[in-house]
Amino acid sequence: MITAYASSWVLPISSPPINNGAVAVADGKIIAVGPLAEIIDQLGPANVQIDDQGEAAILPGLVNVHSHLELTSMRGFLEDLPFHQWILKLTRTKYRLLSREDLLASALAGAAEAIKAGITTMADTCDSGVSFDALLISGQRGCMFQEAFGVNPADAEQSLNDLSSKIEKYRQRTTELVSVGISPHAPYTVSSRLFKLLTDYALRERLDVCIHAAESSAEAGLLLSGTGSFAEGYRTRGIDWEAPGCSTIAYLHRLGVLEARPLLVHCVAASEDDLDLIEQSRSRVAHCPKSNAKLGHGIAPLIKMRKRRISAGLGTDSVASNNTCDLIDEARFCCLAHRAQERDEAILKAGDVLEMATIGGAKALGLDERIGTLEPGKEADLIAVDLSQIHCLPGYDPADAIIYSCSARDVKLTVVAGNVLYRCGALKTLNEEELKQAIRELGKRITSAE
Ligand SMILES: [Zn+2]
């Protein structure tokens, strides 16, 4: 049987919006997109079951190119701290207070939030590995980037061995939907030796690579001149550090890391020269504007990236820094922040950021042949956003209504590869009440241990 998801608007992204449209799905794939009447004519009324979403917009599932599901229980726990303190408190809490089971509950709660927000694909950076399980259990599509750390060059071989044995285990469990990559965490937590070893490993094993890069002034100080709070932290811990005297992106280029075309998260401090290197290496960018603003890091040069056709998707980052996993809100903030910065009301239209949140993210993750638009032959990752509520009426243009008036709370249907994961308030693969209780308990434990 063919299901035709129908609504007042269908936004294929690859072509103009369709009024009274439908997306026909069979065996997890999109087989037709067009006006509902034409779809029924084409496929035969007896063969089609209509799933009518009413006054709503059906669009491709949202692609979140940067998250940390395991940190969901730290939402609101690290407010207003200086960045160095923020990282220290986060790491201390994660390692001292939370078991693997706790982190899995945290990741599942985050997955539930993401599914309800219409996020069908996640690129999740993870230390404990629990997001791999969370993705499998929740039915979402995604890649888990297994983190690696190590500032002492003498430990680099050991770190690589630890990482590769984890990767081998995850590789035996990858599916059509869930894959694994690696994440050398950041230039202030990974030695140059470890960066080189991990890059060679990724190229040899054809693994995707994700790195936090050019995020903060503390990071820039460490690399440029060996000054600032990260440099202080190194001295306190007795770690030898000779500043390379360049930017993060130039440093990664010198080490050969850009040869792996990494997904570079943040790039707030990317200069014109850095953007040249990103463009020439065809590296990709995860733009996380809300996280960058909330942590006081600044605004990444997205407009310059777009002029250079650098592949950039939108990421929410963890809810410890954001504080919601809401890609519609992220897209709206992206549009408004860059318009304010550029003093230009005409840049980044609703359709542009909607594209970034769908096919743009899919391209950044190398999944654009499979997802990101509503076109026959693609996998059926789609969502419906309610346009009938008072806060988005009257709707003149569906993309404007979604970006300027709606939020994650207006998503009422989430489908991944043809499977319904969420419909009208009810999650199909996860128990929301149980997860809410688990996360409340974790919050209490974290608070009482302070
Ligand atoms: Zn991050």
Side-chain angles (χ1 to χ4, degrees):
M1 193 63 169
I2 299 160
T3 304
Y5 293 96
S7 62
S8 54
W9 286 104
V10 167
L11 278 67
I13 304 296
S14 48
S15 54
I18 303 160
N19 198 202
N20 296 321
V23 182
V25 173
D27 299 323
K29 295 238 165 126
I30 296 169
I31 57 166
V33 180
L36 176 62
E38 283 180 23
I39 298 263
I40 293 173
D41 262 3
Q42 184 190 334
L43 301 169
N47 301 321
V48 179
Q49 187 181 339
I50 297 171
D51 190 324
D52 189 2
Q53 295 296 313
E55 190 175 6
I58 292 176
L59 58 146
L62 305 177
V63 179
N64 186 354
V65 298
H66 187 60
S67 61
H68 297 262
L69 288 172
E70 67 182 343
L71 302 180
T72 303
S73 62
M74 280 187 244
R75 186 197 323 262
F77 177 59
L78 307 160
E79 299 304 336
D80 310 327
L81 290 172
F83 189 50
H84 187 235
Q85 300 294 325
W86 185 93
I87 292 222
L88 283 178
K89 189 171 175 183
L90 183 155
T91 314
R92 207 168 49 229
T93 308
K94 189 170 71 175
Y95 291 121
R96 288 193 193 156
L97 291 181
L98 302 175
S99 66
R100 194 174 197 284
E101 198 186 335
D102 297 334
L103 291 166
L104 179 60
S106 194
L108 287 169
E113 180 184 5
I115 291 170
K116 291 184 74 175
I119 294 167
T120 50
T121 299
M122 312 278 285
D124 194 82
T125 301
C126 187
D127 178 20
S128 65
V130 292
S131 26
F132 194 85
D133 295 284
L135 290 170
L136 288 177
I137 295 166
S138 69
Q140 280 176 294
R141 189 186 300 275
C143 176
M144 182 188 78
F145 289 102
Q146 172 66 55
E147 284 182 307
F149 302 87
V151 286
N152 188 344
D155 300 334
E157 266 79 9
Q158 188 57 49
S159 296
L160 172 65
N161 290 341
D162 292 348
L163 180 90
S164 63
S165 62
K166 285 178 193 168
I167 294 295
E168 287 321 306
K169 283 186 195 145
Y170 290 120
R171 273 187 154 174
Q172 289 167 12
R173 299 170 61 213
T174 56
T175 65
E176 279 292 301
L177 294 180
V178 180
S179 63
V180 69
I182 67 166
S183 178
H185 174 258
Y188 52 88
T189 51
V190 173
S191 67
S192 57
R193 170 101 187 113
L194 183 54
F195 262 125
K196 283 184 186 167
L197 289 178
L198 292 173
T199 304
D200 288 348
Y201 172 69
L203 289 169
R204 203 166 57 238
E205 297 290 328
R206 295 175 176 272
L207 286 160
D208 201 1
V209 179
C210 172
I211 306 167
H212 292 93
E215 181 179 13
S216 65
S217 54
E219 175 187 330
L222 177 75
L223 270 81
L224 267 173
S225 52
T227 56
S229 54
F230 283 131
E232 280 303 315
Y234 272 28
R235 277 191 281 279
T236 312
R237 292 165 64 193
I239 298 161
D240 271 342
W241 171 253
E242 199 173 318
C246 62
S247 70
T248 293
I249 304 299
Y251 177 60
L252 295 176
H253 170 63
R254 277 187 209 171
L255 296 176
V257 178
L258 297 187
E259 282 168 35
R261 295 186 57 231
L263 176 65
L264 299 166
V265 183
H266 301 309
C267 293
V268 176
S271 65
E272 294 284 354
D273 287 348
D274 293 335
L275 293 175
D276 282 345
L277 293 173
I278 294 171
E279 185 181 9
Q280 284 156 13
S281 62
R282 295 186 301 123
S283 300
R284 304 146 291 147
V285 173
H287 183 41
C288 307
K290 278 177 66 189
S291 166
N292 298 153
K294 185 157 183 276
L295 294 174
H297 293 322
I299 302 177
L302 177 71
I303 306 303
K304 288 178 181 167
M305 291 177 198
R306 287 171 64 83
K307 281 188 185 141
R308 290 165 184 267
R309 301 194 178 278
I310 290 171
S311 172
L314 278 173
T316 59
D317 210 346
S318 81
V319 297
S321 47
N322 188 316
N323 298 0
T324 57
C325 187
D326 180 344
L327 214 62
I328 296 174
D329 193 40
E330 196 77 41
R332 172 169 50 250
F333 184 82
C334 176
C335 167
L336 302 186
H338 289 286
R339 284 185 177 191
Q341 186 188 38
E342 303 284 327
R343 296 173 189 267
D344 182 346
E345 76 286 5
I347 53 159
L348 283 185
K349 295 183 173 64
D352 296 329
V353 288
L354 207 47
E355 212 176 280
M356 278 185 77
T358 52
I359 187 67
K363 277 183 188 157
L365 300 180
L367 292 171
D368 50 309
E369 298 282 314
R370 296 172 63 189
I371 57 161
T373 57
L374 300 177
E375 292 178 89
K378 282 211 171 172
E379 293 175 41
D381 288 14
L382 58 89
I383 64 171
V385 179
D386 189 359
L387 296 180
S388 73
Q389 300 301 314
I390 191 76
H391 61 260
C392 51
L393 290 175
Y396 296 103
D397 174 272
D400 289 339
I402 293 165
I403 294 300
Y404 299 133
S405 307
C406 293
S407 75
R409 259 69 82 185
D410 295 303
V411 172
K412 60 176 188 170
L413 175 78
T414 304
V415 178
V416 172
N419 298 314
V420 174
L421 302 188
Y422 175 69
R423 184 191 287 277
C424 299
L427 289 163
K428 304 294 179 187
T429 51
L430 300 170
N431 185 326
E432 188 172 355
E433 284 311 311
E434 271 179 27
L435 289 170
K436 280 165 73 177
Q437 199 46 38
I439 209 97
R440 281 190 193 105
E441 295 296 328
L442 287 177
K444 279 186 207 157
R445 183 139 41 96
I446 289 170
T447 311
S448 64
E450 269 225 86

